[in-house]
């Protein structure tokens, strides 16, 4: 199953030359899940061939402009392009009011159902569950209500040991039960334990998206042992005081978080416009957590 994320924007606060405010497109089994939608996201989608028609879910972490000012424009384009299927939107409660106000004064009635679910920044909740994944909110510690999102693959059925089944001449109609973990009893009454006939499926992969936040251990347990951790790293650690004041994280802290929560890989982003180049941020995070990459726009990271 495809499980990968394409970076559309990686800048904090304001766009700067060659970097856009935050947005990411997650491809899970060819369905797109858009995470945050800063200004310029539509242009980035065009540039990197991310099709709006394939997006059915949008997640907004919080109401600072760098995370959602592209949203109304995107909804408007979907409307103008004749979208009919429902769009599922998740975000802070007041997001609905902002969208409604914009639609009201442009006298626009969207041609498609916009199904809005408010997020609660006080507690973790499962907000999506389908055949492929579940999505949980991650309560973060920012100046205003803010959540991250945890995308967890569903556990797959067990895998059959094909040669073994053929050798024992087990009828095909029992295969589904075997995949679900049942034992097999032959016509002559011999019981075969499930684990002699199947093997466990791969561990479900998990992508954690930690948007703007102060370093705060309260959410560490929830993101323990993820496959890929995206974490904001707005500043270098020499700006730690500024990071605390503005409720952000430094690159060094992001590395420490990945280490403490046993992430397999770390992706850092939300870079302050003060950094023209990003090598120092990368080096700093790698000094504690070597398996770190920069969330470079246009790059796709496979979650495996
Ligand atoms: Zn931000
Ligand atoms: Zn923010």
């Amino acid at each position: 199953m495809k499980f990968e994320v394409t970076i559309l924007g990686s800048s904090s606060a304001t766009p700067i030359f060659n970097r856009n405010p935050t947005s990411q497109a997650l491809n899970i089994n060819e369905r797109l899940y858009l995470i945050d939608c800063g200004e310029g996201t539509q242009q980035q989608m065009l540039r990197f061939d991310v099709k709006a028609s394939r997006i059915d879910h949008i997640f907004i972490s919080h109401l600072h402009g760098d995370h959602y000012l592209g949203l109304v424009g995107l909804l408007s384009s979907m409307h103008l392009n004749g979208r009919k299927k429902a769009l599922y939107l998740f975000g802070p409660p007041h997001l609905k009011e902002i969208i409604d106000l914009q639609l009201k004064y442009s006298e626009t009635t969207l041609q498609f159902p916009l199904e809005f679910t408010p997020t609660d920044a006080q507690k973790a909740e499962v907000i999506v569950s389908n055949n492929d994944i579940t999505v949980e909110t991650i309560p973060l510690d920012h100046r205003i209500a803010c959540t991250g999102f945890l995308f967890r693959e569903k556990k797959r059925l067990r895998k059959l040991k094909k040669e073994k089944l053929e050798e024992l001449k087990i009828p095909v109609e029992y295969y589904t039960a075997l995949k679900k973990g049942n034992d097999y009893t032959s016509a002559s009454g011999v019981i075969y334990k499930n684990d002699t006939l199947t093997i466990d499926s791969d561990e479900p992969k998990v992508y954690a998206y930690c948007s703007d936040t102060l370093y705060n251990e309260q959410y560490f347990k929830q993101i323990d042992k993820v496959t890929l951790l995206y974490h904001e790293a707005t500043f270098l650690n020499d700006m730690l005081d500024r990071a605390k004041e503005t409720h952000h994280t430094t690159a060094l802290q992001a590395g420490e978080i990945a280490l403490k929560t046993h992430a397999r890989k770390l992706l850092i982003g939300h870079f302050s416009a003060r950094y023209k180049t990003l090598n120092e941020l990368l080096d700093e995070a790698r000094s504690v957590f070597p398996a770190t990459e920069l969330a470079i726009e246009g790059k796709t990271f496979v979650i495996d």
Side-chain angles (χ1 to χ4, degrees):
M1 187 172 91
K2 190 175 261 191
F3 194 9
E4 59 186 38
V5 62
T6 299
I7 308 303
L8 300 174
S10 64
S11 182
S12 72
T14 54
I16 64 161
F17 177 70
N18 83 12
R19 290 207 302 270
N20 292 266
T22 301
S23 186
Q24 302 185 359
L26 193 58
N27 182 331
I28 303 176
N29 207 9
E30 298 306 338
R31 296 163 85 166
L32 297 183
Y33 299 75
L34 191 73
I35 315 170
D36 280 335
C37 188
E39 182 188 345
T41 296
Q42 289 197 80
Q43 284 290 344
Q44 293 291 82
M45 287 168 58
L46 291 170
R47 183 174 299 153
F48 302 122
D49 199 27
V50 172
K51 300 220 165 20
S53 58
R54 284 173 54 206
I55 297 172
D56 290 334
H57 298 79
I58 301 179
F59 303 87
I60 301 295
S61 63
H62 67 300
L63 292 181
H64 281 152
D66 54 324
H67 297 259
Y68 86 95
L69 287 180
L71 179 64
V72 175
L74 178 60
L75 297 178
S76 174
S77 296
M78 286 173 164
H79 167 75
L80 294 172
N81 290 330
R83 183 185 178 105
K84 292 281 183 280
K85 61 176 175 169
L87 182 77
Y88 299 90
L89 175 66
F90 303 83
H94 295 302
L95 180 59
K96 184 69 169 55
E97 197 181 322
I98 293 167
I99 294 167
D100 286 346
L101 194 69
Q102 299 230 9
L103 295 175
K104 180 180 167 188
Y105 290 112
S106 66
E107 298 182 12
T108 303
T109 305
L110 291 177
Q111 295 193 54
F112 59 89
L114 181 64
E115 305 288 350
F116 179 70
T117 303
T119 52
D120 181 346
Q122 299 304 315
K123 60 174 197 282
E125 289 178 299
V126 174
I127 51 173
V128 174
S129 179
N130 58 32
N131 290 338
D132 298 326
I133 51 150
T134 58
V135 186
E136 283 166 43
T137 53
I138 308 168
L140 298 173
D141 182 355
H142 197 37
R143 280 167 294 157
I144 59 172
C146 183
T147 68
F149 301 100
L150 192 78
F151 299 81
R152 189 189 300 278
E153 265 186 345
K154 286 263 171 81
K155 177 86 176 156
R156 302 269 132 186
L157 294 173
R158 296 180 66 82
K159 293 179 192 169
L160 302 174
K161 292 182 186 172
K162 277 279 169 59
E163 290 110 74
K164 185 85 180 166
L165 304 190
E166 280 161 17
E167 185 190 312
L168 295 170
K169 300 197 169 52
I170 295 177
V172 176
E173 55 264 36
Y174 288 97
Y175 284 12
T176 306
L178 292 175
K179 285 183 188 170
K180 288 178 181 165
N182 295 325
D183 295 337
Y184 171 70
T185 308
S186 72
S188 58
V190 182
I191 296 169
Y192 294 91
K193 286 278 171 207
N194 186 278
D195 59 8
T196 64
L197 305 173
T198 68
I199 50 170
D200 202 4
S201 58
D202 299 333
E203 265 308 293
K205 313 222 170 36
V206 187
Y207 178 56
Y209 172 83
C210 292
S211 188
D212 298 11
T213 187
L214 186 71
Y215 177 103
N216 182 332
E217 298 198 349
Q218 72 177 13
Y219 60 89
F220 287 11
K221 196 161 170 246
Q222 203 190 349
I223 59 168
D224 196 49
K225 298 193 179 75
V226 301
T227 318
L228 179 62
L229 170 64
Y230 165 82
H231 204 287
E232 73 121 301
T234 308
F235 301 110
L236 283 168
N237 210 55
D238 61 1
M239 302 274 297
L240 183 60
D241 289 343
R242 179 89 183 124
K244 284 182 180 165
E245 198 179 291
T246 54
H247 280 237
H248 284 299
T249 305
T250 68
L252 190 76
Q253 289 178 319
E256 284 169 359
I257 294 165
L259 189 69
K260 282 192 177 176
T261 63
H262 317 96
R264 194 173 301 165
K265 285 181 196 156
L266 171 66
L267 189 58
I268 55 170
H270 199 264
F271 311 116
S272 164
R274 72 179 53 238
Y275 304 113
K276 300 287 170 278
T277 60
L278 303 171
N279 288 343
E280 274 185 272
L281 290 148
L282 181 62
D283 290 347
E284 193 174 277
R286 280 185 176 171
S287 71
V288 252
F289 193 80
T292 304
E293 297 292 338
L294 293 168
I296 299 288
E297 294 172 18
K299 262 200 170 184
T300 295
F301 298 87
V302 176
I303 296 149
D304 66 354

